[in-house]
């Protein structure tokens, strides 16, 4: 547990969008997928996932439909809308710019100034 | 937009589906996680425990999800509302009590407000009412107000550039002949521009041509809807028909709409039936009226747009100054002539403002007391629900959210209560309107209009917040550990809560006391007025009115002088005396009917303004009253009313219009003008030019024939055989059936002159009682409110003491088990109640002293701090408090120690 990182505020939505972009998922599946793609390095409070999902549905970035899970259970599946796809692209680009900027700032050496 | 509302409605009514889905989704997550954990080797039960733990509080996330779904305030509100409805249904009894209390409070407040709205706030039902003013002449140096205007002054005003229109509204009666019975109609003589001034239109035909400026009366009249119905049965071909009034012929040119009332000061003046127009010069008035002949009783005008009253008044002052310079003869400086302008609505509602404000304050207090009562009930329930709140909070409900939820509940209660109140009010509205005395100006019909409904809504919301705030805030500050540790019967109220409840009861008591004292003062005044020494005997006296015509053509006037009229008067007296049961008969002008409020203006008009007068050999200074009440009567009048002659003589047959004028004055007038000398033989006369001297021949004892409240109004009487009067009253004393006799008198008068209307039969007792109508109304309503307040306060103290008893059952059980006597227990509990009542009484007395000062002018013969009321009322309230605490206290003594101790 010791090497898990706390999520930065606002990044949960981005992670959910990314996870769902790889294929429709139910809530628990989203959790598993994020764990899988992040190399289990991120700590997510499980319950907090749902308010975020509902928020994204209301913003029209995700759409939800009831279906049947692998083990034949009724479950609600989330998939990305085209608006969600667009948002994911923008946010990803924005995130990369931010990371690059912060990395470059942190890598700065005294002689470069 | 409709789709939006449909979706809102959908969410409101079908939320359970979403709610179930949410529930299922979260549960399935936990299930899946548990299965995964089980697969990784955990035991089933351990796996489920871990899964729940990792998930966190489902309630909190559900709440967050709901907000995420709803995303806006309205949804949260709907959710709260649905929850509130459930709560209210669950405790139906409690809700019913709160809703009924609220319904009473809001219903009563709205009822009074509807009266205030129609009379005080919107007294003038005409377009741009703020432009309407009343204009009066004052003679400030003589202490005389509203003395009337002259025709040249009217013209000056019209051409001053200050007003759009100026018109007198000269109230009088007229004899309308031509229908089956001669009828007396109420008429306003106005300028042709009158209706243009008010900006009102007829329902039928047209009104006067504002440009008319020929001498004399226009041969046209406009009639009211009421008269159209009463005399012409809504004849659709009424236009251009002729009617004869006071022997003159007029053509009907228009009918005003139903509900049209004129801005008059008395109910008679507001219910005009006929309007006639004149230019106020030419027959029967002089062709060139002099400046100092103030025969126009008062004028209304519409200001030019954009002009404030203050600006207009300063321009008017300049006009007055220039006129004084131009006509020094007519406006001597010692009279102090000024023209004053007041908002028209002031002349109509000025007198009723204070009583109405009193009523509104009284009902407001009742509402506040009702709120305090409900707050108390809610606090009691809050402690019962303390556990519920604690659990919900422990499960993750935010404190702000709980506060919001409780406040929604209170608002809902208040709104439902308000609605019930309005529904009840609509049901009993007609009943209430009938309670309102005629003397209250109702130019606007009293209705439950939109503004009134908005007021009710606002009052309900305010009330809901007022009584809901304390319990709601408390719920937010709940001490979880403490509340959850209380086993079983919810938390017993904390000390803080008991303190809040006591404070509320003390407030309630204080306010109830203020109301009761106000009611007590009014009641005491009323009682004193009823038992005042009248100075005359109103028993078994009937008064019947008639009126002689004033034709515009003076030459055809059958009753032009007192000598012309005398045969008629003697014949009526003789015939009336012969009627069965009649013992005494006297005639007089309308002012001679004691305490008849409705006729006072007529009296002034008959005289052409107030009777300003001067005493021979003396200049009256402004600090001496120079306005007196006058009346013309037959010599029998004083004996009939039982007013004793103290000195000198009454009138006799030798006093006619050919002999020098004589008068009998009352003691008050003698004392005022001839304090240290014999007034007999002294002379006075009207301040009007060329008036004859009048010699005092007798002095009467003071009698309250003008006003019950005024002990010594100045009065004098002249013989009706010497000074002509045309608005007549026949007074009859004896033993008879009033309505039968009234009919007999009509026959007798009409057999002398068949063109005369006979009307207005009333007993003097009715007149006395009628003069108290407005006081009676205020007193009854305030007393009703005070009783309600007393009842509410009693219920409040009963509730709190009951609560204290329940809370201390355990303690009482122990005391009893340890050998306490029931008397000790009784005393202990009663002391609680009495200490509350005592604190309330002290606070209330202080407030009442202040409140009573504002009421001073509504009181009669009672000092604002009347000892009887200020001692008696608190005692009464205290007795009620003791009784209300005694009932629960007795229950405390019946506590069975074994049960009380076992239950804990």
């Amino acid at each position: 547990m010791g090497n898990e990182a706390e999520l930065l505020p606002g990044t949960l939505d981005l992670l959910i969008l990314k996870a769902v972009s790889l294929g429709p998922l139910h809530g628990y599946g989203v959790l598993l997928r994020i764990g899988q793609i992040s190399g289990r390095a991120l700590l997510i409070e499980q319950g907090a996932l749902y308010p975020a999902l509902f928020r994204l549905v209301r913003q029209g970035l995700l759409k939800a439909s009831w279906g049947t899970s692998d083990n034949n259970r009724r479950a609600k599946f989330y998939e990305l809308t085209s608006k969600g796809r667009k948002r994911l692209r923008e946010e990803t680009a924005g995130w990369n710019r931010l990371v690059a900027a912060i990395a470059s700032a942190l890598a700065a050496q005294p002689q470069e100034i | 937009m409709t789709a939006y509302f449909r979706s809102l409605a959908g969410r409101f009514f079908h939320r359970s589906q979403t709610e179930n889905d949410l529930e299922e989704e979260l549960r399935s997550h936990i299930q899946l996680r548990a299965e995964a954990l089980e697969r990784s080797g955990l035991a089933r039960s351990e796996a489920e425990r871990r899964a729940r733990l990792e998930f966190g509080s489902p309630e909190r996330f559900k709440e967050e999800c709901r907000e995420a779904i709803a995303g806006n305030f309205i949804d949260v509100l709907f959710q709260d509302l649905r929850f509130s409805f459930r709560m209210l249904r669950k405790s139906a009894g409690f809700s019913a009590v709160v809703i009924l209390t609220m319904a009473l409070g809001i219903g009563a407040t709205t009822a009074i407000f509807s009266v205030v709205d129609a009379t005080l706030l919107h007294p003038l039902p005409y377009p741009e009412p703020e432009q309407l003013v009343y204009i009066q002449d004052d003679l400030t140096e003589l202490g005389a107000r509203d003395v009337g205007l002259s025709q040249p002054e009217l013209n000056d005003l019209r051409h001053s550039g200050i007003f759009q229109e100026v018109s007198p509204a000269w109230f009088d009666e007229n004899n309308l002949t031509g229908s089956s019975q001669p009828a007396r109609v109420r008429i306003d003589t106005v300028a042709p521009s009158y209706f243009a001034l008010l900006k009102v239109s007829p329902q039928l035909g047209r009104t006067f041509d504002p440009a008319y400026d020929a001498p004399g009366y226009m041969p046209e009249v406009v009639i009211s809807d009421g008269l159209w119905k009463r005399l012409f049965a809504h004849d659709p071909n009424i236009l251009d028909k002729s009617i004869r009034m006071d022997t003159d012929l007029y053509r009907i040119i228009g009918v005003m709409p139903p509900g049209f009332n004129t801005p008059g000061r008395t109910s008679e003046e507001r219910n005009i039936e006929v309007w006639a127009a004149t230019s106020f010069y030419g027959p029967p008035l002089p062709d060139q009226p002099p400046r100092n002949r103030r025969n126009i009783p008062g004028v209304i005008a519409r200001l030019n747009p954009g002009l404030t009253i203050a600006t207009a008044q300063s321009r008017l002052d300049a006009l007055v100054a220039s006129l004084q310079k131009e006509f020094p003869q007519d406006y001597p400086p010692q009279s102090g002539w000024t023209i004053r302008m007041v908002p028209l609505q002031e002349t109509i509602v000025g007198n009723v403002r204070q009583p109405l404000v009193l009523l509104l304050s009284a009902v407001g207090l009742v509402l506040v007391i009702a709120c305090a009562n409900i707050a108390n009930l809610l606090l009691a329930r809050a402690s019962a629900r303390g556990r519920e709140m604690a659990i919900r909070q422990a499960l993750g409900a935010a404190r702000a959210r709980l506060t919001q939820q409780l406040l929604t509940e209170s608002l809902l209660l208040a709104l439902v209560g308000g609605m019930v109140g309005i529904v009840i009010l609509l049901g009993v509205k007609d009943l209430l309107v009938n309670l309102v005395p005629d003397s209250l100006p109702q130019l606007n019909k009293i209705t439950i209009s939109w503004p009134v409904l908005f007021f009710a809504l606002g009052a309900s919301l305010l009330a809901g917040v007022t009584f809901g705030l304390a319990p709601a805030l408390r719920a937010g500050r709940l001490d979880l550990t403490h509340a959850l540790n209380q086993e079983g019967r919810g938390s017993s109220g904390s000390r803080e809560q008991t303190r809040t409840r006591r404070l509320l009861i003390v407030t309630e008591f204080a306010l109830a006391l203020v109301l009761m004292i106000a009611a007590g003062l009014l009641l005491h005044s009323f009682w004193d007025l009823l038992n005042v020494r009248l100075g005359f005997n109103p028993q078994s006296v009937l008064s019947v009115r008639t009126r002689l015509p004033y034709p515009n053509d003076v030459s055809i006037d059958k009753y032009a002088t007192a000598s012309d009229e005398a045969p008629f008067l003697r014949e009526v007296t003789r015939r009336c005396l012969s009627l069965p049961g009649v013992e005494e008969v006297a005639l007089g002008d309308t002012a001679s009917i004691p305490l008849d409020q409705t006729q006072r203006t007529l009296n002034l008009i008959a005289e052409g303004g107030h009777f300003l007068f001067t005493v021979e050999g003396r200049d009256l200074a402004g600090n001496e009253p120079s306005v007196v009440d006058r009346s013309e009567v037959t010599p029998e009048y004083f004996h009939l009313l039982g007013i004793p002659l103290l000195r000198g003589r009454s009138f006799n047959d030798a006093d006619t219009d050919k002999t020098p004028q004589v008068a009998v004055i009352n003691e008050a007038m003698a004392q005022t003008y001839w304090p240290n000398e014999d007034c007999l033989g002294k002379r006075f006369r009207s301040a009007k030019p060329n008036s004859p001297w009048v010699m005092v021949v007798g002095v009467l004892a003071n009698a309250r024939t003008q006003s019950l409240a005024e002990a010594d109004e100045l009065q004098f009487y002249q013989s009706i055989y010497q000074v002509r009067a045309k608005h007549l009253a026949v007074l009859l004393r004896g033993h008879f059936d009033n309505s039968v006799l009234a009919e007999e008198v009509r026959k007798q008068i009409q057999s002398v002159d068949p063109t005369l209307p006979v009307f207005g039969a009333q007993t003097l007792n009715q007149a006395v009682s009628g003069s108290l109508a407005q006081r009676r109304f205020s007193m009854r309503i305030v007393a009703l409110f005070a009783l309600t307040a007393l009842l509410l306060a009693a219920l409040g103290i009963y509730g709190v003491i009951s609560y204290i008893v329940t809370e201390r059952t355990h303690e009482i059980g122990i005391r009893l088990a340890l050998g306490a006597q029931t008397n000790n227990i009784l005393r202990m509990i009663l002391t609680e109640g009495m200490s509350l009542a005592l604190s309330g009484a002290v606070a209330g007395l202080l407030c009442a002293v202040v409140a009573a000062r504002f009421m001073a002018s509504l009181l009669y013969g009672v000092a604002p701090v009347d000892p009887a009321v200020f001692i008696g009322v608190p005692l009464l309230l205290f007795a009620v408090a003791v009784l209300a605490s005694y009932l629960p206290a007795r229950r405390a003594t019946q506590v069975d120690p074994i049960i009380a101790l076992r239950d804990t």
Side-chain angles (χ1 to χ4, degrees):
Chain A
M1 286 272 197
N3 50 1
E4 286 175 345
E6 289 271 347
L7 274 185
L8 282 175
T11 49
L12 180 59
D13 287 8
L14 181 56
L15 283 174
I16 292 174
L17 289 178
K18 179 66 191 173
V20 174
S21 76
L22 302 171
L25 290 168
H26 53 66
Y28 185 61
V30 172
L31 185 76
L32 292 180
R33 178 69 54 81
I34 292 177
Q36 183 194 355
I37 58 181
S38 68
R40 310 201 192 294
L42 294 173
L43 180 70
I44 298 174
E45 203 182 356
Q46 297 184 14
L49 198 59
Y50 287 90
L53 281 169
F54 281 102
R55 204 162 44 240
L56 292 170
V57 169
R58 191 166 59 81
Q59 289 169 5
L61 304 177
L62 295 183
K63 74 174 184 242
S65 55
W66 286 90
T68 322
S69 69
D70 306 338
N71 48 3
N72 275 334
R73 217 186 270 269
R74 208 170 95 86
K76 198 164 159 197
F77 285 88
Y78 296 90
E79 58 186 311
L80 218 53
T81 61
S82 55
K83 196 172 160 197
R85 208 169 297 283
K86 189 164 162 246
R87 173 69 66 86
L88 177 61
R89 267 200 307 279
E90 290 164 7
E91 298 254 322
T92 309
W95 175 260
N96 287 339
R97 274 199 302 280
L98 179 70
V99 170
I102 296 213
S104 121
L106 294 178
Q109 298 295 320
Q111 61 270 29
E112 287 174 33
I113 301 170
Chain B
M1 197 63 185
T2 48
Y4 174 73
F5 279 114
R6 206 172 313 127
S7 90
L8 273 188
R11 277 190 244 173
F12 184 57
F13 292 110
H14 310 291
R15 186 44 106 22
S16 49
Q17 182 58 42
T18 332
E19 197 68 9
N20 290 343
D21 286 355
L22 179 61
E23 184 88 8
E24 187 180 343
E25 193 174 4
L26 298 192
R27 208 175 40 233
S28 113
H29 177 107
I30 295 174
Q31 281 300 323
L32 287 169
R33 179 66 188 153
E35 283 163 21
L37 286 171
E38 206 178 351
R39 277 199 299 279
S40 72
L42 282 179
R44 176 76 200 163
S45 60
E46 177 59 14
E48 277 179 8
R49 200 186 68 85
R50 276 275 296 279
R52 274 200 296 276
L53 217 56
E54 282 177 13
F55 190 83
S57 157
E59 284 306 317
R60 195 187 104 206
F61 292 122
K62 256 196 239 172
E63 184 65 33
E64 283 184 31
C65 286
R66 283 186 206 115
E67 275 169 32
I69 298 169
N72 60 33
F73 170 77
I74 291 193
D75 275 275
V76 178
L77 183 69
F78 275 177
Q79 186 198 344
D80 284 350
L81 276 179
R82 285 178 327 115
F83 187 75
S84 304
F85 267 121
R86 275 211 301 277
M87 287 313 293
L88 298 193
R89 265 212 314 270
K90 232 162 60 183
S91 45
F94 170 83
S95 309
V97 169
V98 172
I99 287 173
L100 277 183
T101 313
M102 214 55 239
L104 261 181
I106 295 288
T109 312
T110 309
I112 297 294
F113 181 77
S114 68
V115 175
V116 169
D117 181 63
T119 49
L120 280 191
L121 301 183
H122 302 101
L124 299 174
Y126 318 109
E128 287 116 354
E130 68 286 345
Q131 293 175 344
L132 294 173
V133 291
Y134 178 82
I135 300 173
Q136 63 184 53
D137 272 22
D138 290 349
L139 299 177
T140 50
E141 293 299 314
L142 300 177
R145 292 175 172 281
D146 203 2
V147 293
L149 275 76
S150 64
Q151 195 269 342
E153 288 169 3
L154 178 64
N155 271 341
D156 295 336
L157 290 176
R158 203 174 272 153
H159 301 127
S160 64
I162 308 173
F163 310 103
Q164 302 177 47
E165 304 285 356
V166 182
S167 171
W170 183 348
F171 172 74
D172 199 357
E173 297 171 323
N174 244 307
N175 298 352
L176 193 148
T177 45
S179 52
S180 61
Q181 270 282 326
R184 165 254 189 183
V185 291
R186 292 180 288 267
I187 180 170
D188 252 356
T189 301
V190 299
S193 62
Y194 181 73
F195 291 100
L197 186 158
L198 290 182
K199 297 196 177 179
V200 289
S201 325
Q203 60 168 322
L204 209 64
R206 58 179 179 90
T207 55
F208 307 115
D209 173 13
Y212 174 88
D213 195 27
Y217 274 76
M218 290 176 97
E220 311 176 326
V221 289
V222 174
I223 64 171
S224 73
D225 183 70
L227 191 73
W228 186 31
K229 185 177 168 194
R230 179 158 72 94
L231 291 188
F232 306 104
H234 276 157
D235 174 8
N237 303 316
I238 187 72
L239 294 182
D240 286 336
K241 289 227 163 111
S242 289
I243 54 172
R244 202 172 273 284
M245 287 194 308
D246 279 12
T247 69
D248 299 312
L249 211 56
Y250 296 90
R251 194 159 49 86
I252 296 173
I253 59 162
V255 181
M256 293 312 286
F260 171 73
N261 288 315
T262 43
R265 275 179 276 200
T266 64
S267 78
E268 290 268 293
E269 283 178 82
R270 288 189 281 267
N271 292 296
I272 298 299
E273 295 165 303
V274 177
W275 290 268
T278 173
S279 43
F280 290 91
Y281 68 94
L285 301 168
D287 287 335
Q288 283 175 325
R291 270 202 170 264
N292 54 10
R293 190 188 140 104
R294 301 197 166 88
N295 61 328
I296 301 173
V299 160
I300 60 174
R302 186 179 279 279
L303 290 173
N304 274 330
L307 217 53
T308 65
I309 296 226
T311 341
Q313 180 68 55
S314 64
R315 287 176 63 180
L316 206 51
D317 291 344
L319 177 71
V320 165
S322 78
L323 286 174
Q324 270 169 332
K325 215 167 283 169
E326 197 177 338
F327 306 101
Q329 293 292 314
D330 295 313
Y331 305 119
Q334 59 267 30
S335 70
W337 174 68
T338 55
I339 302 184
R340 206 155 58 89
M341 197 177 337
V342 286
L344 185 57
Q345 66 175 60
E346 207 48 35
T347 63
I348 295 170
V349 300
N351 290 333
V352 296
R353 176 167 294 126
Q354 226 187 347
L356 280 181
V357 168
L358 172 78
L359 291 190
L360 198 61
S361 326
V363 79
L365 281 186
V366 172
L367 186 59
V368 171
I369 293 172
C371 283
N373 239 1
I374 296 174
N376 242 324
L377 283 174
L378 284 176
L379 276 176
R381 204 169 67 131
S383 64
R385 280 175 74 182
R387 220 174 132 73
E388 173 203 334
M389 290 298 152
I391 292 173
R392 289 172 62 185
Q393 209 168 312
L395 290 177
R399 291 177 173 215
R401 197 72 188 67
L402 284 185
T403 306
Q404 192 187 335
Q405 167 65 41
L406 281 179
L407 212 53
T408 312
E409 270 182 52
S410 306
L411 284 177
L412 185 68
L413 279 171
L415 280 178
V416 173
M419 273 188 264
V420 174
I422 297 292
V423 170
I424 296 176
L425 184 61
L426 288 174
V428 299
K429 189 179 114 251
D430 294 340
L431 228 103
L432 286 179
V433 170
N434 284 341
L435 271 183
V436 176
D438 280 346
S439 51
L440 204 67
Q442 300 175 47
L443 294 180
N444 261 322
K445 245 179 114 54
I446 295 170
T447 51
I448 312 296
S449 57
W450 283 113
V452 172
L453 284 180
F454 271 120
F455 171 84
L457 180 74
S460 304
L461 288 178
L462 194 68
V465 172
T466 311
F467 66 64
L469 209 55
L473 287 180
R474 267 195 45 73
R477 286 203 310 269
L478 208 58
D479 176 359
L480 282 189
T481 335
H482 178 76
L484 287 174
N485 278 342
Q486 299 281 328
E487 202 49 54
R489 30 169 193 125
S491 70
S492 69
S494 63
R495 263 171 208 292
E496 184 199 354
Q497 172 164 356
T498 315
R499 212 178 315 127
T500 317
R501 300 197 60 184
R502 288 194 176 154
L503 192 68
L504 281 172
I505 289 298
V506 169
T507 314
E508 245 179 82
F509 249 76
L511 295 181
L513 186 71
V514 172
L515 260 183
M516 302 261 303
I517 283 184
L521 289 173
L522 291 178
L523 202 70
H524 196 175
S525 302
F526 196 76
W527 182 253
D528 281 2
L529 273 179
L530 279 183
N531 291 292
V532 88
R533 224 184 59 79
L534 288 175
F536 68 94
N537 179 9
Q539 302 303 328
S540 329
V541 179
L542 181 75
S543 79
V544 180
R545 296 193 46 213
T546 184
R547 182 183 170 282
L548 307 176
Y550 285 92
N552 289 343
D553 180 359
V554 186
S555 63
I556 61 163
D557 190 350
K558 280 202 291 181
Y559 305 104
T561 66
S563 323
D564 296 340
E565 195 180 318
F568 169 79
L569 297 173
R570 289 188 211 283
E571 183 59 14
V572 169
T573 309
R574 192 189 64 77
R575 281 167 175 262
C576 287
L577 265 177
S578 70
L579 293 174
V582 175
E583 288 156 18
E584 287 180 70
V585 173
L587 271 72
D589 63 348
T590 46
S592 70
I593 307 171
L595 296 172
D596 188 359
Q597 300 298 306
T598 53
Q599 308 306 335
R600 291 205 80 175
T601 19
L602 266 187
N603 172 28
L604 300 177
I605 291 153
E607 179 50 36
H610 292 255
F611 193 85
L612 260 175
F613 80 110
T614 52
V615 171
E616 188 175 26
R618 211 156 2 136
D619 270 342
L620 282 186
N623 52 8
E624 263 182 300
S626 50
V627 180
V628 293
D629 285 311
R630 65 171 294 179
S631 194
E632 290 87 33
V633 295
T634 57
E636 299 84 15
Y637 178 83
F638 308 112
H639 185 264
L640 184 139
L641 282 185
I643 304 174
L645 186 71
L646 301 178
R647 300 189 287 281
R649 66 170 178 91
S650 179
F651 317 121
N652 57 40
D653 290 347
D655 299 314
T656 68
D657 55 355
K658 309 284 187 303
T659 62
Q661 291 203 7
V662 295
V664 175
I665 67 176
N666 72 348
E667 181 73 14
M669 182 166 165
Q671 287 299 327
T672 307
Y673 295 108
W674 298 278
N676 297 312
E677 45 188 328
D678 186 6
C679 61
L680 297 181
K682 297 288 188 299
R683 300 203 298 173
F684 63 91
R685 72 176 185 191
S686 163
K688 284 200 288 187
N690 310 323
S691 312
W693 286 106
V694 181
M695 190 173 70
V696 178
V697 294
V699 179
L700 292 164
N702 289 340
R704 301 192 188 214
T705 50
Q706 290 305 313
S707 156
L708 271 186
E710 298 296 327
D712 34 22
E713 294 228 339
L714 313 186
Q715 283 177 281
F716 73 93
Y717 297 90
Q718 288 193 271
S719 170
I720 200 167
Y721 295 115
Q722 187 165 57
V723 177
R724 185 196 68 171
K726 287 198 171 189
H727 298 86
L728 298 177
V730 184
L731 300 179
L732 308 108
R733 177 185 293 285
H735 298 280
F736 38 70
D737 180 318
N738 294 324
S739 52
V740 172
L741 186 73
E743 186 53 26
E744 282 301 318
V745 171
R746 184 185 67 73
K747 281 186 195 149
Q748 295 305 329
I749 292 177
Q750 289 180 344
S751 63
V752 182
D753 183 339
T755 69
L756 300 184
V758 179
F759 56 95
Q762 64 173 346
T763 65
L764 287 199
N765 278 328
Q766 282 166 345
V768 173
S769 160
S771 76
L772 291 173
Q774 198 163 314
R775 281 178 190 270
R776 186 180 293 116
F777 173 68
S778 307
M779 182 200 67
R780 277 187 184 162
I781 301 269
V782 173
L784 185 72
F785 291 158
L787 277 182
T788 316
L790 179 66
L791 189 72
L792 286 173
L795 280 176
I797 205 161
Y798 173 83
V800 165
I801 299 295
S802 299
Y803 178 75
I804 289 175
V805 168
T806 315
E807 198 184 324
R808 290 170 68 172
T809 306
H810 183 56
E811 175 201 333
I812 292 168
I814 293 177
R815 281 174 188 265
L816 285 172
L818 291 178
Q821 296 298 304
T822 47
N823 269 347
N824 298 345
I825 303 291
L826 199 64
R827 201 177 312 130
M828 181 178 88
I829 300 294
L830 276 182
T831 314
E832 290 265 3
M834 292 200 293
S835 72
L836 288 179
L838 202 63
S839 324
V842 171
L845 277 176
L846 292 179
C847 299
V849 170
V850 179
R853 300 235 167 273
F854 289 106
M855 288 177 55
S857 71
L858 298 171
L859 302 179
Y860 166 77
V862 176
V865 184
D866 177 45
V869 172
F870 272 73
I871 294 171
V873 169
L875 282 181
L876 173 67
L877 204 63
F878 207 69
V880 170
V882 169
L883 185 70
S885 342
Y886 176 74
L887 297 175
R890 211 186 43 182
R891 214 174 56 232
T893 63
Q894 288 157 354
V895 163
D896 184 336
I898 297 177
I899 295 173
L901 291 177
R902 198 176 47 209
D903 276 357
T904 15

